[in-house]
Amino acid sequence: MITLENLFLSWREFKKGKTKRKDVLEFEFNLEDNIFQLYQELKNKTYKHSEYTSFYVQDPKIRHIRKAEVRDRIVHHLISKYLNHIYDKTFIFDSYSCRLNKGIHRAVNRLRQFSLKQSKNNKINFHCLKCDIKKFFDSVEHDILINILKKKIKDKDFLWLIKEIINSFQKTENKGIPLGNLTSQYFANIYLSELDQFIKHKLRAKYYIRYTDDFVILDKNKDYLEKLIIPISKFLKNQLNLSLHPDKIIIRKYNQGIDFLGYVTLPYYRTLRTKTKIRMFKKINYNNLQSYLGVLSHCNSYKLRKELEKIL
């Protein structure tokens, strides 16, 4: 797995779109020497993850991002590629974060598909349970994650490297994976795949969709959805040492609108979440217009598009 060829391939994957950044150019200046040194450290197990640079972004809430050095991000790409090869085929179909041919828009399209089935093409109403896991990335327990990984990964060298990445960051003692690492997205899917399997196969929830730490379950029976909350909470606590955010456990009727991943799905149309609209108008400029129009293309937004174009 850890070969010079694979490191160079990971470098090329990492470099796409980042060639003008100073730290990338500095690493590239002595590329062969840097890659060879990194290879020797990995081969001899003397590799140590560097300290992170941290900064904050608002998207829309304030998030604390940790940025790794270039050499470490190349290792992240190498690990992520192999984790994807091992695990992606084991995930449920309706897990949509950080996976090829998935993503936010496919998730909301799937929600629309499920909604039409549950409502018999908008003829009847149904309910949606929406949940959010409290401080998920800060709460991932290292020992639990490593034990989950050990079930499928038997290569001791690969496990050693994964542990080095996991233990490179702690929010609190033995807990937390950093926002900003590519590996964190893969670790999140692997960690929460345990929840997916429980909800789909133990609780037998038919209409379930998850995107990172947000998930929805659809059903005609409100009482059934209410009864799911306790077993899901117990599973999260007992198996993953996580908890649902108490203020974000919501059950709504379909005709009230299902707010999920920035869009609100209603019986005959989909609209943009109000907070997203407000943020969009605050930040609109020529550079991001096409990006915002792309977001709007996935919902009923003719008037909103015209308003944005008029502003510019």
Side-chain angles (χ1 to χ4, degrees):
M1 185 200 75
I2 302 170
T3 64
L4 275 172
E5 182 183 6
N6 283 339
L7 281 175
F8 273 107
L9 285 171
S10 295
W11 157 254
R12 284 202 289 270
E13 289 168 4
F14 161 74
K15 194 181 70 167
K16 290 175 183 177
K18 299 182 174 69
T19 51
K20 293 182 181 179
R21 286 166 57 163
K22 184 180 177 182
D23 55 348
V24 177
L25 294 172
E26 286 174 352
F27 188 90
E28 190 172 31
F29 185 73
N30 292 311
L31 179 60
E32 289 190 12
D33 290 342
N34 289 331
I35 292 285
F36 186 75
Q37 181 182 343
L38 179 58
Y39 169 69
Q40 290 298 327
E41 290 178 14
L42 292 169
K43 182 180 177 182
N44 299 328
K45 293 187 179 179
T46 57
Y47 167 78
K48 293 293 179 186
H49 198 285
S50 307
E51 293 292 320
Y52 290 93
T53 302
S54 68
F55 57 94
Y56 292 89
V57 298
Q58 192 163 354
D59 182 37
K61 62 184 178 182
I62 295 174
R63 298 181 186 276
H64 196 176
I65 306 298
R66 269 79 179 191
K67 178 184 170 186
E69 290 189 5
V70 172
R71 66 195 299 276
D72 299 310
R73 282 179 276 165
I74 293 170
V75 175
H76 297 172
H77 271 263
L78 181 67
I79 290 174
S80 297
K81 183 166 61 177
Y82 280 90
L83 288 176
N84 182 64
H85 176 73
I86 294 167
Y87 281 98
D88 192 73
K89 59 193 173 188
T90 72
F91 296 151
I92 65 167
F93 182 85
D94 290 307
S95 165
Y96 284 88
S97 174
C98 198
R99 296 180 65 195
L100 189 65
N101 297 322
K102 298 290 182 178
I104 287 174
H105 297 125
R106 287 180 187 264
V108 292
N109 286 339
R110 183 68 160 170
L111 175 59
R112 177 65 175 164
Q113 188 181 84
F114 281 172
S115 298
L116 289 172
K117 287 182 179 179
Q118 277 284 279
S119 66
K120 298 188 183 299
N121 289 326
N122 298 325
K123 291 175 183 174
I124 61 173
N125 213 352
F126 66 88
H127 293 83
C128 172
L129 169 65
K130 181 175 181 290
C131 298
D132 179 285
I133 296 171
K134 187 177 181 181
K135 296 182 179 178
F136 170 68
F137 283 91
D138 289 344
S139 303
V140 170
E141 193 161 305
H142 292 185
D143 291 342
I144 294 175
L145 175 57
I146 290 166
N147 285 332
I148 291 171
L149 289 162
K150 281 181 177 178
K151 293 176 186 177
K152 287 201 169 291
I153 298 171
K154 304 303 179 185
D155 186 305
K156 291 181 179 179
D157 292 336
F158 192 29
L159 277 172
W160 161 79
L161 182 55
I162 288 173
K163 287 178 185 178
E164 178 63 31
I165 301 300
I166 293 171
N167 293 326
S168 68
F169 173 82
Q170 292 186 87
K171 179 65 176 180
T172 55
E173 187 176 356
N174 200 37
K175 282 187 177 184
I177 52 177
L179 280 171
N181 274 11
L182 178 62
T183 49
S184 294
Q185 300 296 324
Y186 286 90
F187 290 148
N189 274 342
I190 293 165
Y191 205 79
L192 289 177
S193 180
E194 303 287 307
L195 174 66
D196 297 340
Q197 301 299 330
F198 174 73
I199 290 177
K200 290 294 290 183
H201 301 300
K202 296 293 184 181
L203 300 182
R204 298 188 179 278
K206 187 175 182 181
Y207 298 111
Y208 166 74
I209 300 170
R210 181 179 63 79
Y211 188 94
T212 315
D213 54 348
D214 292 331
F215 63 88
V216 292
I217 303 173
L218 312 184
D219 199 86
K220 297 182 183 73
N221 191 330
K222 183 181 179 182
D223 291 339
Y224 166 76
L225 293 176
E226 288 176 342
K227 288 175 182 177
L228 291 180
I229 296 168
I230 290 176
I232 289 172
S233 297
K234 285 183 176 178
F235 179 86
L236 285 170
K237 180 62 179 174
N238 296 337
Q239 301 300 318
L240 301 175
N241 203 12
L242 299 171
S243 60
L244 294 176
H245 196 302
D247 298 329
K248 296 183 180 179
I249 301 172
I250 300 166
I251 296 180
R252 287 175 66 88
K253 291 180 179 179
Y254 177 39
N255 62 10
Q256 292 175 308
I258 302 171
D259 188 338
F260 186 53
L261 303 179
Y263 296 93
V264 180
T265 298
L266 290 134
Y268 293 99
Y269 62 97
R270 181 193 299 149
T271 186
L272 208 59
R273 180 188 290 160
T274 301
K275 287 182 180 178
T276 308
K277 291 178 189 175
I278 294 169
R279 190 171 73 253
M280 187 178 286
F281 276 102
K282 282 182 179 178
K283 294 185 176 182
I284 186 68
N285 58 54
Y286 281 108
N287 294 327
N288 60 26
L289 176 62
Q290 290 305 316
S291 174
Y292 284 156
L293 290 176
V295 171
L296 292 173
S297 69
H298 294 274
C299 63
N300 299 74
S301 58
Y302 176 80
K303 290 182 180 178
L304 192 56
R305 289 200 304 271
K306 290 300 177 185
E307 284 181 48
L308 290 177
E309 290 169 355
K310 194 179 293 183
I311 289 170
L312 295 175

